[in-house]
Amino acid sequence: MSAPGYATAAVPATGTQYQLVRDTPTGRAEAKIAALAGALRSYSVDGTEYVETYADSSLPPSACGILLAPWPNRVAGGQWTLDGRTQQLDITEPSLGNASHGLLRNTGYTPAGTPTAGSLTLQAEIFPQHGYPFHLVHAATYSLDDDGGLRVRQHLTNVGGARAPFALGSHPFLRIGSVPVEDLTLTVPGRTRLTVDEQLIPTGQESVSGAGDFRGGRRIGDLLLNTAYTDLEPEDGEYRHRLQAPDGSGVMLWSTPEFGYVHVFVTEAFPGRTRAVALEPMTAPANALNSGEGLRWLEPDQSFAAEWGIRPEPAP
């Protein structure tokens, strides 16, 4: 394909690749989005990569870059109750026995409207099914700002006839070029963290303290983490989570207030990396279909939208 917004390479495992490009005062900004799960495949400014990527022959490792709807994270045992009746979702995390990351992880998104060089809207349909008898359309508009930042607007519409519960999220892995992740400093403005059980299902909340407090920044080093934070402290009306390199340069994941939770996942299992860091904006925590925490409901014909993005930060 040669139309604006389309990559011309052979189709990889994640389907059609959509390329965004914009020349900015800080250099050329580029992003690539895959059809599968609407996943963010790459994002760079002036040649510096700010998200993790993977081979064209691979599916997104550790859910790298995928969009999460109509719930992020986990539903315990894949079960929840609707109007007194137990709903059973497919178990998509067999190791822990949970339903994980919504219903669009294996769905191809398609363009809505005509892509441009610097903006693209993809959408996918959530059909009524066992465990989730609702009909929704999830869309995401990826765009490159004047300063080279990447902006993502997630939009959910109830096209069915029944009131539907939902939460939204995304799963970007951030980096700063070739700087070893172990040398990066992680800052998360969360005053509260969620405690979990063996299935990684929330059991409660606790105030951050000691090694679990990232408000002042902490070098990643040998850290491994799989924890959600909330009670986030806003900055200029946004929630801002950061990675910073030793030279002071950095990358920020920002979100609008609808994303009142951020899941921090630091893993040693990402292919080709000794450490990788996912900062996952979420409108509700894991198991929200059961706990109700952060859960929202859409009436028929009603829509919901929220934004997040990634913004490079130059060294002082």
Side-chain angles (χ1 to χ4, degrees):
M1 300 178 183
S2 58
Y6 289 84
T8 57
V11 177
T14 50
T16 303
Q17 309 290 290
Y18 302 93
Q19 189 80 35
L20 303 182
V21 178
R22 183 165 188 172
D23 290 319
T24 77
T26 56
R28 171 162 286 203
E30 299 182 79
K32 184 188 293 183
I33 300 93
L36 182 66
L40 179 62
R41 283 285 311 277
S42 65
Y43 165 59
S44 65
V45 179
D46 197 28
T48 298
E49 297 287 346
Y50 289 105
V51 298
E52 300 288 2
T53 190
Y54 46 91
D56 280 354
S57 59
S58 298
L59 296 176
S62 299
C64 182
I66 74 171
L67 299 172
L68 311 175
W71 75 84
N73 214 284
R74 298 167 171 87
V75 179
Q79 290 188 350
W80 64 290
T81 302
L82 174 67
D83 297 331
R85 299 182 63 180
T86 298
Q87 303 294 316
Q88 180 63 62
L89 298 157
D90 289 339
I91 301 302
T92 53
E93 187 182 38
S95 62
L96 295 175
N98 300 317
S100 181
H101 291 332
L103 296 172
L104 297 174
R105 187 169 185 168
N106 297 307
T107 297
Y109 282 64
T110 57
T114 303
T116 67
S119 181
L120 164 76
T121 298
L122 296 175
Q123 68 177 27
E125 206 162 350
I126 301 168
F127 291 100
Q129 56 196 274
H130 58 273
Y132 194 81
F134 306 102
H135 195 179
L136 308 173
V137 175
H138 181 229
T141 298
Y142 287 89
S143 59
L144 295 170
D145 289 339
D146 291 343
D147 62 359
L150 175 71
R151 180 179 300 268
V152 185
R153 182 177 186 268
Q154 289 183 243
H155 186 272
L156 191 70
T157 301
N158 185 352
V159 297
R163 182 171 176 256
F166 77 94
L168 296 179
S170 190
H171 207 295
F173 277 85
L174 274 59
R175 66 186 296 173
I176 305 175
S178 60
V179 179
V181 170
E182 291 87 341
D183 292 339
L184 301 179
T185 296
L186 170 65
T187 303
V188 175
R191 291 171 286 201
T192 300
R193 59 181 284 172
L194 276 64
T195 58
V196 298
D197 62 16
E198 295 80 3
Q199 290 179 281
L200 298 181
I201 299 300
T203 58
Q205 297 184 355
E206 62 183 15
S207 297
V208 297
S209 62
D213 186 353
F214 290 88
R215 290 175 295 175
R218 177 184 168 190
R219 183 178 179 272
I220 289 175
D222 60 0
L223 177 70
L224 294 172
L225 191 63
N226 199 352
T227 303
Y229 288 80
T230 189
D231 196 16
L232 306 174
E233 301 177 33
E235 184 178 339
D236 295 331
E238 300 175 341
Y239 297 136
R240 297 175 177 176
H241 319 287
R242 292 179 165 93
L243 291 176
Q244 188 176 53
D247 69 357
S249 64
V251 62
M252 174 208 304
L253 182 126
W254 62 268
S255 72
T256 54
E258 292 85 358
F259 289 105
Y261 302 79
V262 62
H263 195 93
V264 182
F265 180 41
V266 183
T267 178
E268 59 185 351
F270 197 93
R273 305 286 278 171
T274 54
R275 286 289 185 281
V277 181
L279 296 176
E280 309 165 38
M282 307 187 303
T283 64
N287 210 34
L289 286 173
N290 284 302
S291 70
E293 183 178 346
L295 193 68
R296 289 176 165 87
W297 291 76
L298 278 180
E299 299 291 340
D301 298 320
Q302 188 178 20
S303 295
F304 171 86
E307 290 188 333
W308 60 273
I310 301 171
R311 188 181 304 148
E313 296 189 302

